[in-house]
Amino acid sequence: MGEFIGSIWWLIVSLGVLVTIHEYGHFWVARRCGVKVLRFSIGFGRPLWMKRGRDGTEYAIAALPLGGYVKMLDEREGEVAANEVGQAFNRKSVWKRIAIVVAGPVANLLLCVALFWGMFVIGRPDFAPVVGQVERIAQQAGLREGDTVRAVGDRATPTWSEVQMALLPAALDRADIDLQVAGTDGTDRIVRLPLSRLPEHFDERNAIGVIGLVPRHARVPAIVGRVAPDTAAWGVLAEGDRITAIDGEPVQDWRDIGPLVQALGAHGGPAMIEVERDGERLALEIEPRLSQLETGEAYWALGVQSTGRSDPRHDALLRYGPLQAVPAAFAEATHQARELFAMIGRAFTGRVSVENTVAGPITIARATNAFAGQGPAWYLSILALLSLSLGILNLLPIPILDGGHLLYYLIELVKGSPVSERVMAAGQYVGLALIAGLMGLAFYNDIVNNLVR
């Protein structure tokens, strides 16, 4: 399916799963605390589908799939029959009300662990944490091409994605960090990456590139994408040929071709170029021709262009057995929760741009579509992160969120009586203003990051 349709589809599916689990947490605990549930709705607005269960609860799917709610019997929201007063939410003890409110975020946190478990059991295909090219800070620190990054700080990095995720927080904090590295000669060493040297303002979305690390898998394979007419390669090479050697010198990726061609041209005369074509190895005779750049500088050329695509082959798999995946899932959820709190702290203190912190539905839709396109394990990983974010953000002490209600009940525990309706009403307005502001910022970031750039 196209990117647009795919993004909408995976956004609806993802929100549907997360909201259903969140609201079911409220629903399940409310029922066990003796509260009557009037409606369990996925989505807001006019119901597209509704069914009344034997328990008297209305189950609905509504038109606007950006949330959901559990409507409980409550004397503050309408008249309650005398025989049902005992089932009203407001009549329950403060501890039961706290349990019901907390149940939604807790359900999302448990879902996060379950999704990470599924990701580890299925196995997430990735790239090996091998450095392909080093520049700038990475080069100054002593990293070399071919180095394998075993760990960043105290976090093991079995894949390149783990390297990126571990380096990003340190880069945002501009904190020097140690890398455990294995060289191509098999020796292990510690490399201290001086991230404190990062410029004051840099592209936070490309922190790895700013550091000067290019992964091995980002290399462009030496596959011919186009042969220019009337050039040295015309009639010799063909689109799709993988160049493996030039004049006996091996070619690993497209960057190797230029220097070898210049050396061949300076030496003079024809030479053999080895290629793989349709599963066969061929040795073809070719002689570079002198060409000229726009600046007037002369250089030797074959007349070929690359495909421009990096090598798509995965060479690592992040995978555990069903039992090993249990502690790994809890550890991953705990780590990601710490990182989320740290990111919120950076946003509030101005150490990171809110432009790259608060994501709207367009960004989330494109991300879920992209992850789903990489396979089920990758999709489970982003769904786990979204579930974690939903659970933690709902616990923030903002009125109208679960955390706001939890704050009211904690105050009630301290003062011995419920918060006044006047205070709660004022809190609702404040909460609505904050949520509206966050939504506005999220949509603004979506427009800037996805439609303007």
Side-chain angles (χ1 to χ4, degrees):
M1 64 181 74
E3 182 182 0
F4 178 74
I5 299 298
S7 297
I8 293 177
W9 165 254
W10 287 112
L11 176 66
I12 293 174
V13 169
S14 302
L15 289 180
V17 171
L18 300 181
V19 170
T20 299
I21 295 299
H22 180 94
E23 299 304 334
Y24 184 75
H26 292 308
F27 172 82
W28 190 84
V29 175
R31 293 285 298 274
R32 273 143 191 82
C33 288
V35 176
K36 183 176 182 178
V37 178
L38 303 178
R39 177 176 291 185
F40 182 109
S41 176
I42 303 302
F44 298 109
R46 185 175 65 85
L48 300 177
W49 173 89
M50 182 182 292
K51 179 180 179 181
R52 183 181 295 274
R54 294 180 180 178
D55 53 6
T57 302
E58 294 178 341
Y59 298 90
I61 297 177
L64 188 61
L66 297 178
Y69 62 91
V70 171
K71 182 177 176 59
M72 291 173 269
L73 190 67
D74 196 314
E75 291 176 299
R76 296 167 299 181
E77 298 181 3
E79 188 175 345
V80 176
N83 63 328
E84 293 184 330
V85 168
Q87 300 180 65
F89 176 81
N90 63 293
R91 289 295 186 102
K92 298 302 177 180
S93 70
V94 65
W95 287 111
K96 287 186 176 181
R97 281 177 278 143
I98 287 176
I100 294 169
V101 166
V102 170
V106 169
N108 280 126
L109 299 180
L110 292 176
L111 175 63
C112 170
V113 174
L115 291 169
F116 275 135
W117 179 85
M119 178 197 76
F120 286 130
V121 171
I122 294 173
R124 191 179 71 187
D126 208 322
F127 297 100
V130 180
V131 177
Q133 184 180 350
V134 288
E135 301 170 334
R136 297 183 285 278
I137 291 176
Q139 187 176 47
Q140 297 165 14
L143 282 171
R144 298 189 290 266
E145 186 172 341
D147 282 344
T148 299
V149 183
R150 302 291 191 193
V152 175
D154 58 357
R155 182 167 174 81
T157 52
T159 68
W160 187 261
S161 294
E162 299 295 316
V163 173
Q164 290 180 300
M165 289 189 290
L167 279 177
L168 179 59
L172 294 175
D173 293 335
R174 291 173 177 77
D176 297 346
I177 193 166
D178 290 332
L179 274 61
Q180 297 178 33
V181 173
T184 53
D185 58 358
T187 59
D188 294 338
R189 67 187 194 279
I190 300 295
V191 174
R192 189 158 187 80
L193 205 57
L195 300 183
S196 55
R197 299 181 189 174
L198 282 169
E200 183 177 354
H201 301 289
F202 67 91
D203 186 355
E204 297 161 356
R205 293 168 298 176
N206 186 34
I208 303 300
V210 176
I211 292 169
L213 279 176
V214 178
R216 181 184 64 183
H217 69 266
R219 287 178 166 181
V220 176
I223 299 176
V224 177
R226 179 177 178 272
V227 181
D230 301 323
T231 60
W234 184 253
V236 180
L237 300 179
E239 294 181 8
D241 284 351
R242 180 185 286 270
I243 300 174
T244 58
I246 295 177
D247 197 22
E249 295 293 331
V251 173
Q252 301 295 332
D253 68 21
W254 193 265
R255 291 179 303 149
D256 297 336
I257 296 175
L260 292 176
V261 171
Q262 302 313 304
L264 184 60
H267 183 268
M272 303 305 292
I273 183 169
E274 298 174 33
V275 302
E276 291 181 0
R277 180 185 298 171
D278 298 328
E280 296 184 13
R281 286 183 169 271
L282 304 175
L284 308 169
E285 188 176 272
I286 197 168
E287 183 175 358
R289 295 181 188 176
L290 202 60
S291 189
Q292 199 171 48
L293 296 171
E294 293 180 358
T295 59
E297 183 181 355
Y299 70 101
W300 296 96
L302 297 180
V304 292
Q305 295 178 1
S306 74
T307 59
R309 296 189 297 270
S310 60
D311 198 333
R313 295 173 295 184
H314 294 89
D315 52 10
L317 184 67
L318 186 60
R319 188 175 189 177
Y320 297 104
L323 293 180
Q324 291 176 307
V326 174
F330 275 100
E332 184 66 16
T334 302
H335 172 77
Q336 294 300 338
R338 286 199 302 265
E339 291 301 325
L340 180 57
F341 279 117
M343 190 63 74
I344 293 172
R346 293 185 188 100
F348 274 109
T349 57
R351 286 181 293 156
V352 65
S353 171
V354 292
E355 179 181 317
N356 297 321
T357 306
V358 182
I362 298 176
T363 300
I364 294 173
R366 295 185 65 180
T368 52
N369 182 51
F371 274 64
Q374 297 182 66
W378 277 98
Y379 176 66
L380 290 181
S381 71
I382 193 171
L383 196 59
L385 292 175
L386 291 173
S387 187
L388 177 68
S389 300
L390 181 61
I392 289 178
L393 293 178
N394 258 286
L395 287 174
L396 293 178
I398 299 176
I400 83 169
L401 294 182
D402 294 328
H405 294 292
L406 180 61
L407 178 62
Y408 292 149
Y409 301 146
L410 292 177
I411 294 173
E412 180 178 341
L413 278 175
V414 173
K415 67 190 289 280
S417 60
V419 175
S420 69
E421 292 188 9
R422 182 177 179 182
V423 171
M424 291 185 67
Q428 292 289 94
Y429 286 116
V430 173
L432 285 171
L434 288 173
I435 295 300
L438 284 173
M439 291 180 63
L441 178 61
F443 279 109
Y444 171 79
N445 288 343
D446 268 353
I447 293 171
V448 171
N449 294 328
N450 296 287
L451 302 180
V452 176
R453 292 180 178 176

